[in-house]
Amino acid sequence: MKSDLLHYIDETDSTNNRLKQMLSDGQQLPDLYTLYTFYQTAGRGQQGNSWESEQGKNLLFSTLLRPADLSAADQFRLSMLAPLAIVNVLGSLLSCPPAIKWPNDIYVGDKKLSGILIENTLAGSRLSASVIGVGLNVNQKRFLSPAPNPVSLTQLTGEQYDLHMLMWQITEAFCQLLPLLQRPQELKRLYMQHLYRREGWYPYVEREVSALPTSILQNADRRQFLAQIVDIDNSGRLCLMLQDQSIRRYHFKQVRYVITQDTAQSVL
């Protein structure tokens, strides 16, 4: 990996916004160019949510990919590749293995360690550019936002981490995994291997009763249903088998996971 792919800035509103503006301004940026910071004033997550991050404590970055010959129909491959790079790095730091919560959050147990926001630009039926934004909780010890289940590396291990070194390691992992975009079966195998709640029956709630991707419940909710993950299809839909053996397929935002308060706290 070339060191000139990494560009650190002290502060920005959002690394995704900043990188997209650089592209709009006509700057010629190489593939895997990564803009990173330790403080965002307006970090964004999925579904328009904000991303809490104490100044100087966490890693916030956006990576540019120009996925050659990747069609719009295959764009979910990016949602598999990006979290795999994070998991590969974090797996060596944690005693409890991290998992990928569909489509691309990083969890340890039932706590959220990292979120990923991918914004694609299309040229006809092909992808011309992808900006992969990542927020990774690293050295923050307390979370004050109403987010239901955040956790940081330092809360899990008691250690403090060099954010620059962690950024370098993650970019290295991206470089190593990039060829998997052209090997979709192997990419999916690795993604499914690390998938959160891959085995067993768990409660879910359809979007009609909530737009939230995750719900923390103290008591049973009659609106939930038990299901088992059986597949992620080529378009990125979550395929759930219900107890009557029927299959339901959901695009992102159409279903949410239900996590009990006890299990969300048990990882600490």
Side-chain angles (χ1 to χ4, degrees):
M1 182 197 73
K2 296 180 179 179
S3 59
D4 58 1
L5 292 177
L6 298 179
H7 182 72
Y8 172 76
I9 52 176
D10 289 332
E11 177 182 321
T12 187
D13 59 343
S14 156
T15 55
N16 264 33
N17 288 349
R18 180 77 169 264
L19 186 50
K20 289 192 299 180
Q21 186 61 53
M22 293 167 69
L23 293 171
S24 296
D25 292 342
Q27 295 191 39
Q28 299 301 309
L29 303 176
D31 204 32
L32 284 173
Y33 178 89
T34 297
L35 186 70
Y36 74 105
T37 187
F38 306 151
Y39 185 55
Q40 286 184 153
T41 58
R44 294 182 294 126
Q46 296 281 10
Q47 299 178 313
N49 296 325
S50 61
W51 182 265
E52 178 190 0
S53 183
E54 184 179 348
Q55 186 168 0
K57 297 294 185 180
N58 302 314
L59 184 57
L60 312 148
F61 67 93
S62 294
T63 295
L64 172 66
L65 283 182
R66 293 190 177 90
D69 299 323
L70 195 64
S71 70
D74 293 328
Q75 61 186 291
F76 188 73
R77 294 183 196 178
L78 296 170
S79 287
M80 293 191 287
L81 180 82
L84 277 173
I86 309 297
V87 163
N88 281 3
V89 173
L90 299 184
S92 64
L93 304 177
L94 296 167
S95 57
C96 180
I100 302 168
K101 180 170 120 0
W102 172 84
N104 51 28
D105 286 338
I106 308 297
Y107 268 48
V108 176
D110 286 329
K111 304 283 276 186
K112 183 174 179 177
L113 184 59
S114 176
I116 298 175
L117 175 64
I118 301 176
E119 298 182 283
N120 294 321
T121 301
L122 302 180
S125 62
R126 318 299 294 182
L127 266 66
S128 61
S130 295
V131 174
I132 300 173
V134 177
L136 175 61
N137 300 326
V138 182
N139 293 323
Q140 187 164 337
K141 294 182 178 180
R142 294 179 63 231
F143 292 89
L144 305 177
S145 79
N149 56 339
V151 73
S152 69
L153 282 175
T154 195
Q155 287 178 318
L156 293 168
T157 68
E159 303 290 335
Q160 292 285 306
Y161 297 89
D162 183 318
L163 298 177
H164 292 288
M165 177 60 69
L166 197 56
M167 183 71 261
W168 186 87
Q169 291 172 327
I170 292 171
T171 306
E172 274 283 307
F174 265 104
C175 292
Q176 293 170 5
L177 291 175
L178 200 55
L180 291 179
L181 287 178
Q182 305 305 323
R183 302 202 298 270
Q185 290 184 342
E186 183 179 354
L187 176 61
K188 182 178 177 179
R189 179 184 62 79
L190 292 171
Y191 177 83
M192 296 297 291
Q193 179 180 314
H194 291 284
L195 196 61
Y196 171 73
R197 293 186 169 180
R198 176 68 184 91
E199 303 291 340
W201 297 87
Y202 294 95
Y204 297 85
V205 177
E206 292 186 346
R207 180 179 166 83
E208 284 73 14
V209 294
S210 176
L212 297 174
T214 303
S215 175
I216 303 295
L217 296 182
Q218 293 183 351
N219 302 307
D221 184 338
R222 293 180 182 177
R223 301 168 301 185
Q224 34 179 304
F225 61 92
L226 286 177
Q228 184 177 52
I229 296 174
V230 292
D231 196 15
I232 307 292
D233 68 18
N234 290 338
S235 63
R237 291 185 301 177
L238 180 68
C239 304
L240 298 177
M241 181 173 68
L242 279 62
Q243 290 180 302
D244 64 4
Q245 305 300 302
S246 63
I247 304 294
R248 295 183 187 175
R249 294 173 174 82
Y250 296 97
H251 289 288
F252 182 55
K253 303 183 184 180
Q254 290 182 333
V255 68
R256 65 180 168 101
Y257 293 73
V258 176
I259 297 173
T260 66
Q261 193 173 55
D262 288 342
T263 59
Q265 294 173 344
S266 65
V267 72
L268 298 178

